Amino acid sequence: MSKKVFIKTFGCQMNEYDSNRILNSIKKIGFEKTENLEESSCFILNTCHIRDKAKEKVYHEIGRVKKKFEKKVKPVVIVTGCVAQAENKEMLKREPFIDLVVGPQSYHKINNSIIEFMKNKSRNEITEFDTVSKFDYLSKIKNDESKSSAFLTIQEGCDKFCHFCVVPYTRGPEYSRPFFQILTEAEELVKKGAKEIILLGQNVNAYSYFENSLEFRISNLIMELEKISEIKRIRYTTSHPRDMTDDLIDCYSNSQKLMPFVHLPIQSGSNKILKLMNRKHKVEDYLKIYEKIKKINANIEFSSDFIIGYPGESNQDFIETCNLIDKIKFINSYSFIFSARPGTKASNLQPVEKNISLERLKIIQERLFNYQKEKNKRFENRLVDVLVENEIEGQNKLFGRNEYMNSVIFEGNKNLIGKIVPVKILNSNQNSLFGETNFKNKFKAA
Ligand code: SAM
Ligand code: SF4
Ligand code: F3S
């Protein structure tokens, strides 16, 4: 009988990608994925440390699992991801239920540590930054993800050290995977049905790989993926304004498959705050990129990330962020109150009063969501091309995304999954579009 593994994932798309690669790896030692925690003999919690009470959330989750196994043989319990990296030995000390702690650049060692643990119950923590060996190892194991929209990590880690951010400490230094290793993995994903490839990296547009003194950048990757006929859509995330070079911007002219949607985090619309954050770009740089891209295609839309209440943020700084939002009118956005991360420079700074931050967040979200609603409304009564990803459980409806990453929900036959289909949008809200595929007769009549 095969052993079962249950994996729970918090955090960003890269964690989702990693969870799948961990599964691919531990299949080699006889584990099969289960959706039923209680039948698992291995439980993996892939964690995120980006904000809030990340650490406490992990212990809470482990506590919940512990309860479920009170009267049963416990599974091997493994904590992976960014909290694992940040907390390392502490986790083993604080929670005896945890057996292994494995950081994001040590996933190539996960099989051996499970085998070792099963043999001699040696609890262990593996958190060195061994990114080259990790990708060498993983590249020898097929990526068997069978989604129509598939993630593909091309770059990992960060050397930028924004003062608020924990990522350089949890993912390690910037590393770009070999160009041809990435293309091979893209081919694997295509064989499994991928129609869309989402290139991932903490600073995905910092991708830079040298071979025989030739530099390969993300623009080269995009144009290479463009040649694979089965791939219909290409995206990348998360990009950094500093690495938004002209060769990448030119892809919006040269590629037919690069989606007209740019997720480009700004964090704040105030140059004073950007400087305090150590972002090393200015609002003007951001606007220049925006204008260059819009000049290529006015239909390209932007989304962004905002941090509200960063230490030192005055009312004037906040107004400047609001002004930037009014200029760009983002189609989508993520906004959070600054969260002091242990070990980062900003964690020692005087925080903005909680009430003020909450009030500013409310104002900014209202503004952002209004633009989102406005933009989404424009799709109503129009046909949009949707890449159908899955059926929504228990609802008899399908879920997919349009070119701008909007969620589109509609009734339709399951055999549409994996296809790009025209959907007529009937309704919308701030997050989603609602439509139908059965519109042809109605259109003729109209
Ligand atoms: N590399 C990307 C960039 O530089 O724009 C960001 C990647 S980070 C994983 C995703 C987002 O989390 C950031 O854009 C930022 O808005 C948010 N974030 C990171 N640290 C944060 C903190 N301490 N408090 C609140 N939000 C935070
Ligand atoms: Fe974090 Fe992005 Fe800044 Fe790197 S560039 S430190 S990942 S916010
Ligand atoms: Fe979270 Fe680590 Fe991703 S902190 S956002 S899982 S890089």
Side-chain angles (χ1 to χ4, degrees):
M1 205 177 70
S2 72
K3 298 163 279 184
K4 298 271 185 348
V5 54
F6 182 96
I7 184 157
K8 181 154 187 171
T9 310
F10 293 135
C12 60
Q13 291 108 320
M14 195 175 284
N15 258 12
E16 266 186 58
Y17 171 86
D18 286 348
S19 288
N20 176 51
R21 298 303 277 147
I22 292 170
L23 284 169
N24 292 166
S25 173
I26 73 169
K27 255 190 192 168
K28 302 267 168 215
I29 53 167
F31 281 95
E32 243 177 56
K33 185 183 171 183
T34 175
E35 302 293 342
N36 178 3
L37 169 65
E38 287 174 52
E39 67 168 16
S40 66
S41 49
C42 178
F43 170 70
I44 300 177
L45 186 60
N46 198 4
T47 61
C48 171
H49 203 33
I50 203 77
R51 65 189 142 243
D52 304 326
K53 300 188 170 67
K55 197 167 80 181
E56 294 318 310
K57 199 166 151 191
V58 171
Y59 289 114
H60 178 82
E61 191 60 34
I62 295 289
R64 233 174 44 89
V65 175
K66 198 171 170 178
K67 254 203 173 136
K68 292 228 187 253
F69 285 89
E70 245 165 14
K71 297 197 175 93
K72 285 202 237 168
V73 181
K74 92 184 258 305
V76 183
V77 174
I78 310 175
V79 181
T80 58
C82 289
V83 179
Q85 186 67 40
E87 284 296 296
N88 50 66
K89 288 188 191 78
E90 272 313 299
M91 302 205 102
L92 296 177
K93 263 195 224 152
R94 178 165 159 184
E95 180 49 87
F97 195 68
I98 299 173
D99 301 310
L100 299 168
V101 175
V102 186
Q105 306 312 348
S106 298
Y107 294 153
H108 53 301
K109 297 193 176 150
I110 217 162
N111 285 8
N112 279 346
S113 45
I114 296 174
I115 293 168
E116 274 299 301
F117 178 78
M118 286 178 146
K119 249 199 263 163
N120 52 26
K121 298 284 169 238
S122 49
R123 296 169 77 224
N124 202 359
E125 165 263 328
I126 311 152
T127 47
E128 58 268 37
F129 292 131
D130 200 358
T131 322
V132 178
S133 311
K134 179 184 83 167
F135 281 114
D136 272 357
Y137 167 84
L138 286 174
S139 70
K140 294 184 188 95
I141 297 175
K142 274 209 166 84
N143 187 334
D144 71 356
E145 184 66 279
S146 58
K147 290 187 174 155
S148 52
S149 171
F151 294 134
L152 206 181
T153 292
I154 65 165
Q155 178 279 341
E156 213 175 320
C158 181
D159 296 338
K160 294 198 167 61
F161 291 92
C162 300
H163 286 171
F164 53 81
C165 186
V166 81
V167 170
Y169 309 98
T170 62
R171 292 274 167 177
E174 253 173 47
Y175 169 78
S176 294
R177 291 181 66 189
F179 190 73
F180 293 100
Q181 199 183 85
I182 296 167
L183 293 178
T184 306
E185 194 171 326
E187 296 276 9
E188 286 169 12
L189 293 166
V190 162
K191 280 196 191 120
K192 290 297 225 170
K195 297 283 181 340
E196 172 174 278
I197 299 286
I198 307 183
L199 303 174
L200 296 183
Q202 266 83 46
N203 281 288
V204 72
N205 53 344
Y207 178 83
S208 168
Y209 177 72
F210 281 88
E211 197 164 285
N212 301 328
S213 321
L214 255 183
E215 188 190 12
F216 294 89
R217 298 192 49 84
I218 188 172
S219 53
N220 303 106
L221 266 175
I222 291 170
M223 295 318 293
E224 243 357 86
L225 293 176
E226 176 94 8
K227 294 181 196 157
I228 303 176
S229 63
E230 292 89 341
I231 295 176
K232 307 293 179 202
R233 291 179 167 190
I234 304 166
R235 302 183 190 273
Y236 60 90
T237 199
T238 299
S239 46
H240 191 289
R242 253 163 77 196
D243 295 309
M244 208 68 202
T245 47
D246 283 343
D247 56 318
L248 175 55
I249 294 179
D250 285 345
C251 288
Y252 288 95
S253 310
N254 302 335
S255 163
Q256 303 299 310
K257 298 181 179 176
L258 183 60
M259 289 293 99
F261 171 83
V262 188
H263 180 67
L264 191 61
I266 174 110
Q267 316 301 354
S268 169
S270 150
N271 281 339
K272 181 192 107 189
I273 294 299
L274 288 177
K275 189 150 191 249
L276 289 175
M277 285 175 165
N278 196 33
R279 285 292 283 181
K280 299 204 175 95
H281 63 88
K282 289 190 169 165
V283 176
E284 292 78 3
D285 303 320
Y286 196 88
L287 287 171
K288 260 188 222 150
I289 298 167
Y290 170 79
E291 275 149 24
K292 272 190 197 170
I293 292 179
K294 279 286 199 188
K295 213 168 172 185
I296 292 174
N297 175 358
N299 292 325
I300 293 174
E301 296 285 357
F302 281 68
S303 78
S304 200
D305 296 345
F306 297 91
I307 296 180
I308 307 304
Y310 187 78
E313 185 189 76
S314 66
N315 201 40
Q316 177 56 32
D317 298 318
F318 174 67
I319 290 170
E320 287 174 23
T321 302
C322 293
N323 292 345
L324 180 86
I325 291 169
D326 290 341
K327 267 193 202 134
I328 305 221
K329 303 182 175 66
F330 298 93
I331 195 168
N332 195 13
S333 59
Y334 301 88
S335 44
F336 294 96
I337 292 179
F338 166 73
S339 164
R341 300 286 77 205
T344 60
K345 284 213 169 163
S347 65
N348 302 318
L349 304 175
Q350 179 72 30
V352 170
E353 238 177 81
K354 187 92 197 252
N355 289 348
I356 297 179
S357 292
L358 278 170
E359 185 58 27
R360 286 181 188 163
L361 185 71
K362 202 170 139 232
I363 295 170
I364 216 148
Q365 289 195 332
E366 202 175 296
R367 197 171 284 235
L368 287 164
F369 295 162
N370 277 339
Y371 284 123
Q372 276 173 226
K373 273 190 234 159
E374 234 173 67
K375 296 240 176 207
N376 289 353
K377 204 156 184 62
R378 290 199 315 220
F379 293 112
E380 289 182 13
N381 297 312
R382 276 173 51 192
L383 283 183
V384 298
D385 282 337
V386 175
L387 173 59
V388 188
E389 292 186 21
N390 54 275
E391 191 178 30
I392 304 175
E393 235 178 75
Q395 283 193 36
N396 212 11
K397 285 196 174 127
L398 298 177
F399 170 90
R401 290 188 188 273
N402 68 354
E403 294 183 330
Y404 299 101
M405 279 301 264
N406 288 110
S407 307
V408 184
I409 295 161
F410 58 100
E411 271 174 31
N413 196 306
K414 266 205 293 196
N415 64 16
L416 296 179
I417 294 172
K419 297 193 171 116
I420 295 178
V421 295
V423 176
K424 186 182 177 191
I425 302 305
L426 303 171
N427 269 307
S428 66
N429 63 24
Q430 145 204 329
N431 297 317
S432 308
L433 310 176
F434 305 92
E436 61 174 6
T437 45
N438 187 20
F439 53 79
K440 290 197 178 79
N441 294 339
K442 290 180 207 166
F443 251 12
K444 269 182 206 151

